[in-house]
Amino acid sequence: MSERSGAQIIVEGLERQGVSVVSGIPGGAILPLYDALSHSRIRHVLARHEQGAGFIAQGFARASGRAGVCLASSGPGATNLLTAIADARLDSVPLVCITGQVPSSMLGTDAFQEVDTYGLTVPITKHNFLVRSARELLDVIPRAFAIATSGRPGPVLIDVPKDVQTQTTPVECWPEPGRAASPPTVDTCAIEEAAELLESARRPVLYLGGGVVQSGAAELARALAERIDAPAVMTLMALGVLPSEHPLSCGMLGMHAARYTNLVLEECDVLVALGARFDDRATGLPEQFCPDARIVHVDVDASELGKIKQPRLGIAGDVRRVLEELLPKTRVMSRPEWRARVSELRRQHPLRLPGAHDPRTPYGLIRSVAALAGDDAIVTTDVGQHQMWAAQAYPLQRPRQWITSGGLGTMGFGLPAAIGAALAFPERKVICFSGDGSLKMNIQELATAAEEQVDVKIVLLDNHSLGLVYQQQELFYGSRFYASKYRGRVDFPRIAEGFGVRAWDLDTTSEPSALLRRALAEPGPGLIHASIDVDAKVFPMVPPGAANRDMIGG
Amino acid sequence: MALLELTVRNHPGVLSHVCGLFSRRATNVESVLCLPSPDGTSRIWLSVCDDARVEPLAKQLRKLEDVLDVRTPAPDVFERVERALRSA
């Protein structure tokens, strides 16, 4: 039996969980924990803003599938984390956030750097803890990991008052590390019913969501599509589940889908939603989404079934488990008529990528980078036009290759998430597509990238404006541009160099392809700057609140 | 009026977890009653006006880590409370 402080229990708890890297920023209320961490083999990555620390942990989690861990102090440290936590919640990313808090005796007294972290994080976490004794930490740490990774993953916050970190307690035995609970068994009758629905379908479509990635069911989803000969659409979160050139892949659905993709959904008679939540950016006006379809909805979160669309058959279960049961119950089918119809729609309304062969256009730049980066590269994005262009044009090959902020749509996500992905896979190249609006929101993390020498290449599409806002003002607000163009210019290559990050500028070269090749071949962090036309648009576009058939452009 | 009966772990944060689910959906909780049980759990009774919202809310409540059980419909304890208060 030996005495341990609360801080030591946290650190040993993290070690026992197999945590190899944490990101964070220290401050007064979390110094005992940092002191204990200094004796650990866990690698600490010092972020430059707590939101950066949160997104570094997210990038690690999204790339690896394991829980990401981040640390912050009380007060502003904790409030700065909130955006990254809310983002993890909406995209179901397993995250364990540990915050320092003022000593228990001062809780509620408006002490220095005191904020109600517990109260603030109630609506944005899967679960949260305010720890009241060092002893509790023995159970809280493993429970936090179990909750974060079980079922539908999500963020868990542990708020630890400073005196709880320093309090000592005898430790006789350690509880087992927290692991994801094995998913519940699947209702056999429901599987039979699903198989019958697929059998009776004439124009089925698979609608694949982030849950397919989370449950490790990409191979099975592909097998199902091939077995029943059904085309598949993917949400923004599921891109990569089917390789982009797979004959049954119809790419991304929704607001910025190719026209044919949304039109295929218009005609489908059975929609099989796997780990997808009928988000408004995917469905458009929900009443008019797949108007003729009977819906089979599989989700590990029972509250998603019937939340937006009433399914004919709802199955509360892990996608992988369900597909393992369902596949042997289905017959190998062939649907030449439906496939021909899908091909016809694709021919008539293809995805148009103007300029795809010219690296000085958005699509061309994305395609050129993809060709040079190779299939091993991980791709992160920020939020805005560049994100949608990349979603449309990047030839993704596998799940977890694509890391993007979908639900919350957080500008500033891309760079720190790329750092986190690079920490999880140091042997891989990470490409971060960003815009000038987004990059500025967490640009301080360039310092972290330089310090850690991660192999992250930022590809900056710079139009000196908030491009997607500008686009919406033109299309839906009578071209009354307001607060969407930056009047001041920023010299991004110089800024990057100031942080110790190499920079290349496509604007000043006559040979963009050669420059891209050189830049991407270089190891370590780098920024590739490319000015783009502010009038370039993301097309097609479904106006917010419209049905998916009402697409503009493309 | 729809009624719910919850069994929850009895600790300081549980009520804000429960009530937060209602307020973020702009649903008013009309009545609340909470009683601790000897086994470390508590029972919470809630009533809400909007019947249509109860089923999705019950599903969300079941997802909360500290909510052990959700029953709806539930017996109308509030009627009895009101009577008791009137005679007091």
Side-chain angles (χ1 to χ4, degrees), chain A residues 121-173:
Chain A
T121 52
V122 164
I124 56 170
T125 52
K126 190 173 172 193
H127 191 57
N128 58 359
F129 298 91
L130 173 55
V131 183
R132 287 177 293 166
S133 71
R135 180 126 220 105
E136 266 179 46
L137 283 165
L138 280 172
D139 287 313
V140 164
I141 300 293
R143 262 189 78 199
F145 279 84
I147 294 167
T149 53
S150 294
R152 180 178 184 171
V156 176
L157 179 126
I158 310 172
D159 197 30
V160 193
K162 195 173 184 181
D163 59 306
V164 174
Q165 297 171 46
T166 52
Q167 184 187 49
T168 58
T169 183
V171 177
E172 319 68 70
C173 61

Side-chain angles (χ1 to χ4, degrees), chain A residues 414-429:
Chain A
L415 170 58
I419 296 170
L423 292 168
F425 292 98
E427 72 287 358
R428 290 194 174 177
K429 193 168 287 301

Side-chain angles (χ1 to χ4, degrees), chain A residues 87-239:
Chain A
D87 187 281
R89 172 75 169 165
L90 276 179
D91 285 347
S92 307
V93 178
L95 208 60
V96 174
C97 312
I98 303 175
T99 47
Q101 182 55 280
V102 301
S104 309
S105 59
M106 296 168 81
L107 281 172
T109 65
D110 299 331
F112 177 64
Q113 294 195 330
E114 184 191 1
V115 75
D116 178 10
T117 306
Y118 183 88
L120 285 169
T121 52
V122 164
I124 56 170
T125 52
K126 190 173 172 193
H127 191 57
N128 58 359
F129 298 91
L130 173 55
V131 183
R132 287 177 293 166
S133 71
R135 180 126 220 105
E136 266 179 46
L137 283 165
L138 280 172
D139 287 313
V140 164
I141 300 293
R143 262 189 78 199
F145 279 84
I147 294 167
T149 53
S150 294
R152 180 178 184 171
V156 176
L157 179 126
I158 310 172
D159 197 30
V160 193
K162 195 173 184 181
D163 59 306
V164 174
Q165 297 171 46
T166 52
Q167 184 187 49
T168 58
T169 183
V171 177
E172 319 68 70
C173 61
W174 292 82
E176 281 297 300
R179 301 276 173 245
S182 58
T185 48
V186 186
D187 173 12
T188 338
C189 295
I191 297 292
E192 300 280 355
E193 211 181 323
E196 278 164 29
L197 268 164
L198 291 178
E199 182 80 25
S200 72
R202 293 179 54 224
R203 298 179 305 278
V205 174
L206 304 188
Y207 160 34
L208 311 175
V212 178
V213 178
Q214 301 275 11
S215 70
E219 282 296 314
L220 290 165
R222 176 183 178 159
L224 179 67
E226 289 169 357
R227 198 170 163 84
I228 66 166
D229 201 18
V233 300
M234 289 170 275
T235 66
L236 181 66
M237 303 313 298
L239 292 180

Side-chain angles (χ1 to χ4, degrees), chain A residues 85-413:
Chain A
I85 298 174
D87 187 281
R89 172 75 169 165
L90 276 179
D91 285 347
S92 307
V93 178
L95 208 60
V96 174
C97 312
I98 303 175
T99 47
Q101 182 55 280
V102 301
S104 309
S105 59
M106 296 168 81
L107 281 172
T109 65
D110 299 331
F112 177 64
Q113 294 195 330
E114 184 191 1
V115 75
D116 178 10
T117 306
Y118 183 88
L120 285 169
T121 52
V122 164
I124 56 170
T125 52
K126 190 173 172 193
H127 191 57
N128 58 359
F129 298 91
L130 173 55
V131 183
R132 287 177 293 166
S133 71
R135 180 126 220 105
E136 266 179 46
L137 283 165
L138 280 172
D139 287 313
V140 164
I141 300 293
R143 262 189 78 199
F145 279 84
I147 294 167
T149 53
S150 294
R152 180 178 184 171
V156 176
L157 179 126
I158 310 172
D159 197 30
V160 193
K162 195 173 184 181
D163 59 306
V164 174
Q165 297 171 46
T166 52
Q167 184 187 49
T168 58
T169 183
V171 177
E172 319 68 70
C173 61
W174 292 82
E176 281 297 300
R179 301 276 173 245
S182 58
T185 48
V186 186
D187 173 12
T188 338
C189 295
I191 297 292
E192 300 280 355
E193 211 181 323
E196 278 164 29
L197 268 164
L198 291 178
E199 182 80 25
S200 72
R202 293 179 54 224
R203 298 179 305 278
V205 174
L206 304 188
Y207 160 34
L208 311 175
V212 178
V213 178
Q214 301 275 11
S215 70
E219 282 296 314
L220 290 165
R222 176 183 178 159
L224 179 67
E226 289 169 357
R227 198 170 163 84
I228 66 166
D229 201 18
V233 300
M234 289 170 275
T235 66
L236 181 66
M237 303 313 298
L239 292 180
V241 164
L242 286 189
S244 58
E245 71 286 356
H246 190 284
L248 288 167
S249 170
C250 292
M252 180 174 70
L253 81 160
M255 184 175 271
H256 296 295
R259 279 179 176 260
Y260 85 87
T261 310
N262 285 339
L263 294 173
V264 164
L265 286 162
E266 287 283 306
E267 295 187 13
C268 89
D269 68 346
V270 171
L271 181 75
V272 185
L274 300 172
R277 60 181 177 85
F278 295 82
D279 174 74
D280 52 276
R281 289 298 191 262
T283 63
L285 197 64
E287 302 84 73
Q288 293 183 36
F289 178 64
C290 299
D292 301 325
R294 290 168 290 167
I295 295 172
V296 180
H297 191 179
V298 180
D299 204 292
V300 73
D301 180 352
S303 71
E304 288 298 341
L305 307 176
K307 185 183 83 175
I308 305 290
K309 291 281 275 186
Q310 203 54 48
R312 170 66 62 98
L313 173 64
I315 304 179
D318 177 73
V319 173
R320 183 164 53 165
R321 279 285 176 89
V322 170
L323 290 183
E324 279 167 358
E325 300 279 329
L326 179 60
L327 266 171
K329 297 274 195 315
T330 55
R331 200 162 54 81
V332 177
M333 292 177 229
S334 164
R335 307 178 194 275
E337 278 176 38
W338 179 220
R339 289 284 299 280
R341 176 63 185 151
V342 172
S343 301
E344 189 187 351
L345 286 169
R346 192 194 299 247
R347 252 194 327 276
Q348 289 168 349
H349 309 281
L351 179 64
R352 292 183 209 280
L353 304 174
H357 298 290
D358 175 5
R360 292 199 191 278
T361 70
Y363 289 126
L365 179 56
I366 290 161
R367 281 286 168 95
S368 302
V369 168
L372 292 165
D375 291 346
D376 266 355
I378 296 171
V379 183
T380 78
T381 77
D382 261 302
V383 170
Q385 285 184 314
H386 69 274
Q387 177 191 30
M388 291 300 121
W389 285 322
Q392 292 173 327
Y394 201 99
L396 294 161
Q397 299 302 314
R398 57 193 161 77
R400 298 198 185 280
Q401 184 183 11
W402 168 253
I403 295 175
T404 197
S405 168
L408 196 66
T410 311
M411 294 169 69
F413 172 90

